[in-house]
Amino acid sequence: MDGVPTGMVVFVCVVMAPVTLLMWALAVSEWRELRSPPKPRDPAVHYDLRLHSWKEAPAALHRWQEGGPVGTGGSAEEDVRVAEILAVLDGKDADEGAGVHTRLRLRLPDGEETTLHTDVRSARNVRAGTFLPVKPVREGVTHVLGDTWATAADLSGHAVGRVLLRHRRALGLIDDEAAEAVDGGRPEDADLVEVRPTGEVRAGHVEVVITARCGDHGPVTVRGLLRPEEIATARHTGRVPVVRSRGGRWELWPAWF
């Protein structure tokens, strides 16, 4: 080429050849990824994990979040409100690795919406539609990200249970007899025979009538309110956690959060 030094031509060829090969390799890799079938998600594992979480007693928030902030004590239950998670705006599941700082959009009981930042290791529990006990940021304290609410990390597991039971009763998701049975009770694993929705929906929960076999008690009938995912969990696993009230009535064990 007239006017272009031979050394320059050689230099450009030496530099561009590896770049071209790299771009070609990336294109081939992306093409193969698009052509390969998607990795299937094992529903059995997913629903087994959901059932395990459902049967647990209420836990302190740092345990439920699997890596959230640990409280130092001192929160009063009357200062705590139960918000509903509307969306997980940032974050990733535990399968992706270590915990991340997550941004949640919440709706408070009075209808106000707010954003809260908190550390989360697993997205299995922290998901849209679940309940999250929160407290106002202390007066005179300014959150670096502008949050006006924080998780109620100071509460013990028992205190979290009391707060969530009061919230569920206020929403009409559980009555007094069921709340008494659940408070301090222990769930029993029952074999699901049938689950029949009645058509009533309340606060994102569907009323169902469940027939189940519980130990030596034979078939029992339980009426209560569950989220759609809890209904799916019962159907896929063939199990449902129940508890018996003092009056002998069988109640559905709540998926606390």
Side-chain angles (χ1 to χ4, degrees):
M1 290 186 291
D2 295 339
V4 180
T6 303
M8 180 64 71
V9 174
V10 172
F11 173 78
V12 171
C13 291
V14 169
V15 171
M16 292 302 297
V19 174
T20 304
L21 287 173
L22 177 61
M23 293 178 65
W24 175 82
L26 289 174
V28 170
S29 177
E30 291 177 359
W31 170 250
R32 287 176 177 171
E33 185 176 343
L34 289 172
R35 295 284 293 176
S36 61
K39 185 179 180 181
R41 182 179 184 180
D42 188 347
V45 173
H46 170 75
Y47 287 113
D48 283 346
L49 290 172
R50 295 301 303 165
L51 180 63
H52 175 75
S53 177
W54 182 0
K55 293 188 297 184
E56 288 188 335
L61 290 183
H62 72 88
R63 179 177 166 221
W64 177 71
Q65 291 176 236
E66 300 184 29
V70 179
T72 56
S75 280
E77 289 183 31
E78 57 266 25
D79 295 332
V80 175
R81 301 291 180 268
V82 178
E84 179 186 356
I85 299 177
L86 298 179
V88 181
L89 302 176
D90 297 306
K92 58 185 177 181
D93 193 81
D95 294 338
E96 298 293 329
V100 292
H101 199 65
T102 302
R103 186 164 55 105
L104 306 175
R105 181 182 295 135
L106 307 176
R107 179 167 54 220
L108 299 167
D110 61 3
E112 177 192 351
E113 293 188 12
T114 188
T115 301
L116 181 148
H117 296 77
T118 187
D119 293 328
V120 176
R121 183 175 179 82
S122 172
R124 189 169 63 248
N125 291 332
V126 183
R127 59 199 308 151
T130 54
F131 299 139
L132 181 66
V134 296
K135 63 179 181 179
V137 173
R138 292 197 310 272
E139 189 175 351
V141 175
T142 302
H143 192 280
V144 66
L145 296 174
D147 291 359
T148 55
W149 292 82
T151 60
D154 291 333
L155 295 184
S156 67
H158 292 301
V160 167
R162 289 191 296 268
V163 167
L164 290 173
L165 269 184
R166 284 199 297 268
H167 183 67
R168 286 180 166 272
R169 289 169 74 177
L171 292 177
L173 298 175
I174 192 170
D175 62 22
D176 292 343
E177 185 173 350
E180 184 182 11
V182 167
D183 188 17
R186 297 182 62 182
E188 297 184 43
D189 241 350
D191 294 318
L192 182 68
V193 176
E194 180 188 34
V195 54
R196 180 170 52 85
T198 67
E200 181 178 347
V201 178
R202 189 178 305 160
H205 292 62
V206 179
E207 186 182 54
V208 293
V209 176
I210 284 179
T211 304
R213 294 189 182 90
C214 187
D216 299 329
H217 301 289
V220 298
T221 301
V222 192
R223 180 185 290 265
L225 289 134
L226 297 175
R227 291 188 180 93
E229 184 167 9
E230 291 151 17
I231 297 173
T233 298
R235 283 175 167 161
H236 279 267
T237 62
R239 312 288 288 175
V240 60
V242 296
V243 64
R244 200 172 191 180
S245 71
R246 291 183 180 179
R249 194 178 79 183
W250 289 95
E251 311 289 352
L252 291 172
W253 186 258
W256 293 90
F257 293 94

